[in-house]
Amino acid sequence: MIGFSVMDFFGIPSSINLSTERIIYRGLKVYIVESKGGAIVCMLLALIFLGTWPAILTLLERRGRLPQHTYLDYTITNLLAAVIIALTFGEIGKGTNDSPNFLTQLSQDNWPSVLFAMAGGVVLSLGNLSAQYAWAFVGLSVTQVITASITVVIGTTMNYFLDDKINKAEILFTGVGCFLAAVCLGSAVHASNAADNKEKLKNLPSGCIVGAEAMDVSMSKETITNNDKAKAGTAGFLIELENRRAIKVFGKSTLIGLAIAFFAGVSFSLFSPAFNLATNDQWHTLKEGVPHLSVYTTFFYFSVSCFVLAIILNITFLYHPVLNLPRSSLKAYLRDWNGRGWAFLAGFLCGFGNGLQFMGGEAAGYAAADAVQ
């Protein structure tokens, strides 16, 4: 027996015997994670997957790949992950009237729940797309602190009431308070970093032009690095990074990055409550006798809407780029294989990470699952 576990931290009753308690319900119904132990496993895997894919996309942007190209690749495999989950977990086992399998639910009259699921996918797509640009302006670590903390503060509070208060409020909201403090500290760190970088760039050689109007920040390698790679954090390193990266940030207001990060955080905070409403129908929008959407069917519709919006926005950004990015085209995108494999991997990681978070949320409550952020 476990005296203290991850579930204690999330405010879920513990004392779980992982060796004897069932992780997955096996029988006539579709496979569903129903035990606290299964929820722990799902959330730990989601923690790894969802903590990895942003670093991959940031790496590609810093290597000069256009974010529109990267996101188009990413969103393809992100949807593919949802399809794989739906056709495996959603189809294994014989469905029943109360718990139909994935393909059966596609033809049922469950559109109110489907619309909630698709709304969740829309806000997640907006959040991910915004975060991709915020990483360039604010930095990966600060952006993730701000967006994830806002997600937990707003999303966890909403899910706590949607979950009928199944989690321990005194533990759950103590954690929420810590995340709220993290939002403030993350904003302060960004302001400090921006001031520090500005001070480092004050004494640049005259050959280096930095400004809102001039984005050419080239200087000789000898001036920056003395033929060696610039040390991280130095002015030379910042110049090298600016020359190489796709999104140019020199000369732009520090408030731009914070505004994008906060918008992404608010968007992220809404997708989990929408998913919760889609699977559990707390507002009783389904007709009598219509079964609730399974987590797998919900995740499929959720991912489809996320995919469609991402495709529309990023194809638009190819021809009408934002933030002074260079113009591209579908033809140029299809020919750009530099980093495509990494973008595909990021999509799979995010897709499976989201799926595991939602599978854990079915067993442990979505308020607790939000802590994966």
Side-chain angles (χ1 to χ4, degrees):
M1 301 291 287
I2 297 176
F4 178 81
S5 69
V6 176
M7 289 302 172
D8 288 311
F9 180 78
F10 290 151
I12 300 172
S14 58
S15 299
I16 304 165
N17 190 330
L18 294 178
S19 62
T20 60
E21 187 174 359
R22 291 174 302 167
I23 292 180
I24 295 178
Y25 180 86
R26 299 177 183 272
L28 294 179
K29 295 183 179 180
V30 176
Y31 277 23
I32 300 173
V33 176
E34 62 172 11
S35 74
K36 302 300 188 293
I40 291 176
V41 173
C42 287
M43 288 191 283
L44 287 177
L45 288 173
L47 189 68
I48 296 170
F49 292 169
L50 295 178
T52 303
W53 74 268
I56 295 175
L57 294 196
T58 301
L59 177 65
L60 293 177
E61 185 276 322
R62 289 188 167 208
R63 288 182 174 180
R65 193 166 198 248
L66 290 177
Q68 307 98 304
H69 294 187
T70 298
Y71 204 88
L72 285 169
D73 290 335
Y74 150 89
T75 199
I76 292 170
T77 49
N78 188 62
L79 175 63
L80 184 56
V83 173
I84 292 172
I85 289 174
L87 293 178
T88 52
F89 289 103
E91 283 293 307
I92 297 175
K94 184 179 179 181
T96 65
N97 290 333
D98 293 332
S99 182
N101 61 23
F102 165 66
L103 292 178
T104 300
Q105 287 203 310
L106 293 180
S107 60
Q108 292 180 336
D109 186 16
N110 44 31
W111 278 104
S113 292
V114 169
L115 292 176
F116 278 122
M118 297 182 77
V122 166
V123 291
L124 176 66
S125 187
L126 290 173
N128 282 341
L129 188 59
S130 301
Q132 189 181 24
Y133 291 92
W135 295 330
F137 284 91
V138 185
L140 178 63
S141 57
V142 175
T143 299
Q144 293 306 98
V145 167
I146 292 175
T147 57
S149 298
I150 294 174
T151 301
V152 173
V153 170
I154 300 177
T156 296
T157 302
M158 295 174 68
N159 278 321
Y160 173 73
F161 292 102
L162 290 174
D163 288 339
D164 199 23
K165 305 177 183 179
I166 65 172
N167 305 119
K168 294 180 180 178
E170 62 272 19
I171 297 177
L172 192 69
F173 287 103
T174 298
V176 170
C178 293
F179 280 111
L180 183 61
V183 174
C184 301
L185 292 174
S187 302
V189 168
H190 172 57
S192 175
N193 287 344
D196 185 45
N197 290 341
K198 185 176 180 180
E199 186 67 26
K200 290 175 183 176
L201 296 171
K202 271 186 178 180
N203 300 319
L204 287 174
S206 57
C208 179
I209 304 173
V210 180
E213 303 298 328
M215 299 308 298
D216 180 11
V217 292
S218 60
M219 16 180 349
S220 68
K221 183 177 288 187
E222 292 79 15
T223 302
I224 300 177
T225 67
N226 292 322
N227 294 320
D228 292 318
K229 187 175 181 180
K231 185 178 179 181
T234 64
F237 175 83
L238 297 175
I239 296 297
E240 283 187 346
L241 177 60
E242 182 74 3
N243 284 332
R244 186 173 61 246
R245 74 186 317 159
I247 303 174
K248 307 300 183 184
V249 299
F250 281 4
K252 294 194 172 64
S253 170
T254 57
L255 294 178
I256 293 177
L258 276 181
I260 297 174
F262 271 86
F263 175 79
V266 172
S267 298
F268 285 144
S269 70
L270 300 176
F271 80 81
S272 182
F275 196 99
N276 194 350
L277 285 167
T279 55
N280 295 308
D281 191 35
Q282 292 93 334
W283 292 351
H284 308 292
T285 57
L286 291 175
K287 295 180 180 178
E288 186 176 353
V290 177
H292 292 177
L293 287 183
S294 71
V295 65
Y296 312 114
T297 307
T298 304
F299 187 47
F300 171 75
Y301 283 116
F302 174 92
S303 299
V304 166
S305 65
C306 186
F307 171 82
V308 171
L309 182 61
I311 292 295
I312 293 172
L313 290 178
N314 280 280
I315 289 180
T316 301
F317 290 161
L318 288 176
Y319 296 94
H320 305 282
V322 297
L323 300 174
N324 294 325
L325 281 163
R327 192 174 183 271
S328 185
S329 65
L330 272 176
K331 188 175 181 180
Y333 158 68
L334 293 173
R335 289 180 174 179
D336 180 14
W337 284 88
N338 183 26
R340 175 157 287 163
W342 286 109
F344 283 156
L345 175 61
F348 275 124
L349 289 172
C350 183
F352 285 117
N354 283 330
L356 288 165
Q357 177 183 341
F358 295 139
M359 289 165 66
E362 277 292 279
Y366 287 95
D370 277 344
V372 168
Q373 297 294 330

